[in-house]
Amino acid sequence: MAASSINLIKDTTVQAINETLNVQNVILAAIAGQTGGLRFDNFKDIQQLVRLGLHKLIFHVGDQLIVEKETALTATVGHTGETGGITAAAVDADAFLAALGTAHSGEYEFTFNGAEWHFNGAPVLLATYGITITGSPIAGDEVIVHETTAEIAFDIVGIDQDTPADSNFAHSMTLMAHDVYITAAFDAKEALFAFGDGLEAGTYHFTIDQQPWVAGDVGKTVQFTLQNAIPAGGQLVINNAYNATVVGATISAFASGTSTAAIETVTMSEGSDGTDLGSVGNALTGSATNSIQRALLGSNNWSQSAARQYLNSNAAAGAYWTPKTKWDRPPGYVASTAGFLKGLDGDFVSVLGKVIKTTSQNTVTDGGGGIQSEELVFLPSRSEIYGSAEITGVNEGAIYDYYKNATNADRIKYQSTAARYWFLRTPNASNARTVRDVTSSGILSDIYASNAYGLAPACCIV
């Protein structure tokens, strides 16, 4: 028993010495390349410092980390002699970046020696890197992969201010994009009605109990006639603007929350013919009936938002969004924009960890209070940027040190050279439709969820 204990102590001591030496080597290497700032070979070295609690000695709030994101990837062929065996090559971006483990602008050369392909002096299979060729290779053939990346500057906004979701880790370093990365809706306009069991063709009507913008619509009953049945899981989507009467506007039927082609679109008129679908208003008034605010301007619920799905996905355009409620609808950008993590430096993504966040809930549809979640890539809250709570008694996180002494001008974020409004994850808790945002002047405000505003992603090295 004693011998085993001694061996364990020896092994633990050797491990501790090795860790110390590794950290020292990392720090010395960073200092050696410090022209223009400390230089680290990879993000895993930074993660090692964070996990040992040494990040607070090396980094400071306001420092920046530059992360690359692949924007284009192509493959060409060549030959060291006059003729070659292969005539063309193609590369799958996902497979290539996964095999490479990182994203950096440059050229990557694969050569064939007559028996096997080589990359960086070692034999490889092209398929491992997602490379396919046309023709049979001969000695001297080359495949050159050309990668183009864009740089994203992340500010260190907090050190040990976010709590890792994994209790095995005690430290974190919070990063936030220095500028707006993309302009996109927080959430799309939602369906007004959702039918789990479907809806037969026929005439229907509903009554407007509440309408925040058009007082003349309150108390009106409108009707419409469907020529086609709506299948199980189908929806009815109202098409008019939020500040216009529903009388004379149209309503569209969809087969599901993911379908973008309407079954049909019909006009609504004042009247009470046909089957009653009930009343609509600001709150959720029935099992099939959504808030009219969300039906016209989107939902301000972060946990269900399209923005949250986009920021946490590495899927291709059109492949990452799924409905989170029976009324949910896809924003237009989903079809043409890949997830934020797609193409992002894999070395960087691998060191990110989930942290525990609390987000306020609106009092109209979501019951108020706050909801706790684990977040990988997120938008900051009102309190994390301004230090003020949305709802008394709900702690959405302490103000990040980066913003403790900030002026409104310090909160301005740009896209290219233009100052942009940018979303927070906090709702305006008094309604179901608006999300807190930072204006182009740095002032706290709120804006409709379906508007296209800036997203400035935040995340934590854990």
Side-chain angles (χ1 to χ4, degrees), residues 35-55:
T35 304
L38 291 176
R39 304 285 180 176
F40 290 88
D41 289 336
N42 55 67
F43 289 104
K44 288 181 175 63
D45 286 345
I46 297 176
Q47 183 186 53
Q48 186 178 23
L49 296 174
V50 172
R51 290 188 170 180
L52 293 172
L54 297 177
H55 58 311

Side-chain angles (χ1 to χ4, degrees), residues 56-250:
K56 62 188 71 177
L57 304 177
I58 306 298
F59 300 100
H60 303 88
V61 170
D63 289 348
Q64 280 190 346
L65 300 183
I66 304 300
V67 181
E68 292 183 72
K69 183 176 167 71
E70 177 262 311
T71 56
L73 198 67
T74 59
T76 58
V77 300
H79 190 75
T80 56
E82 294 182 358
T83 60
I86 61 174
T87 57
V91 58
D92 177 82
D94 290 341
F96 183 81
L97 292 178
L100 206 62
T102 187
H104 296 294
S105 286
E107 293 185 348
Y108 302 86
E109 186 176 282
F110 297 76
T111 59
F112 191 69
N113 66 359
E116 55 192 3
W117 288 93
H118 281 71
F119 176 57
N120 286 339
V124 296
L125 296 175
L126 292 186
T128 302
Y129 291 82
I131 298 171
T132 56
I133 56 175
T134 301
S136 300
I138 62 174
D141 276 350
E142 299 174 331
V143 173
I144 303 166
V145 177
H146 310 264
E147 182 180 9
T148 304
T149 64
E151 292 185 343
I152 305 174
F154 282 91
D155 296 317
I156 297 176
V157 297
I159 294 177
D160 285 344
Q161 286 192 252
D162 278 308
T163 302
D166 187 338
S167 60
N168 290 309
F169 303 112
H171 301 287
S172 67
M173 188 161 71
T174 307
L175 314 174
M176 187 187 305
H178 184 75
D179 286 313
V180 165
Y181 176 72
I182 191 175
T183 300
F186 185 87
D187 201 55
K189 294 181 179 181
E190 297 192 336
L192 182 60
F193 295 100
F195 306 101
D197 296 327
L199 191 71
E200 295 296 326
T203 300
Y204 297 90
H205 67 264
F206 61 88
T207 302
I208 302 172
D209 278 356
Q210 293 173 304
Q211 220 282 23
W213 308 280
V214 184
D217 273 4
V218 177
K220 282 185 178 179
T221 298
V222 293
Q223 65 183 45
F224 57 91
T225 299
L226 298 177
Q227 300 298 324
N228 301 280
I230 297 176
Q235 300 173 329
L236 282 172
V237 177
I238 195 168
N239 297 313
N240 65 309
Y242 69 92
N243 57 354
T245 180
V246 298
V247 177
T250 61

Side-chain angles (χ1 to χ4, degrees), residues 167-349:
S167 60
N168 290 309
F169 303 112
H171 301 287
S172 67
M173 188 161 71
T174 307
L175 314 174
M176 187 187 305
H178 184 75
D179 286 313
V180 165
Y181 176 72
I182 191 175
T183 300
F186 185 87
D187 201 55
K189 294 181 179 181
E190 297 192 336
L192 182 60
F193 295 100
F195 306 101
D197 296 327
L199 191 71
E200 295 296 326
T203 300
Y204 297 90
H205 67 264
F206 61 88
T207 302
I208 302 172
D209 278 356
Q210 293 173 304
Q211 220 282 23
W213 308 280
V214 184
D217 273 4
V218 177
K220 282 185 178 179
T221 298
V222 293
Q223 65 183 45
F224 57 91
T225 299
L226 298 177
Q227 300 298 324
N228 301 280
I230 297 176
Q235 300 173 329
L236 282 172
V237 177
I238 195 168
N239 297 313
N240 65 309
Y242 69 92
N243 57 354
T245 180
V246 298
V247 177
T250 61
I251 194 166
S252 297
F254 289 89
S256 70
T258 57
S259 59
T260 55
I263 298 170
E264 64 179 310
T265 298
V266 298
T267 301
M268 296 178 289
S269 60
E270 194 167 359
S272 56
D273 292 344
T275 303
D276 186 8
L277 295 178
S279 60
V280 300
N282 296 327
L284 305 178
T285 56
S287 61
T289 311
N290 197 5
S291 162
I292 194 170
Q293 295 184 19
R294 289 181 167 178
L296 295 174
L297 293 166
S299 168
N300 59 10
N301 185 307
W302 161 250
S303 68
Q304 301 168 355
S305 68
R308 185 174 185 246
Q309 291 194 61
Y310 161 75
L311 291 174
N312 287 278
S313 175
N314 63 359
Y320 61 84
W321 184 87
T322 57
K324 295 301 181 183
T325 73
K326 58 189 173 186
W327 299 290
D328 217 354
R329 298 288 303 161
Y333 65 85
V334 167
S336 58
T337 308
F340 172 69
L341 296 179
K342 188 174 178 62
L344 200 63
D345 190 337
D347 179 38
F348 175 70
V349 175

Side-chain angles (χ1 to χ4, degrees), residues 365-388:
T365 58
D366 296 342
I371 184 172
Q372 194 174 88
S373 60
E374 295 181 2
E375 303 289 342
L376 185 69
V377 185
F378 54 91
L379 298 179
S381 69
R382 169 180 174 163
S383 62
E384 289 167 342
I385 302 301
Y386 288 94
S388 58

Side-chain angles (χ1 to χ4, degrees), residues 177-183 413-415 420-422 454-456:
H178 184 75
D179 286 313
V180 165
Y181 176 72
I182 191 175
T183 300
K413 291 189 180 294
Y414 294 83
Q415 189 176 32
R420 298 293 188 195
Y421 286 64
W422 52 286
L455 302 182

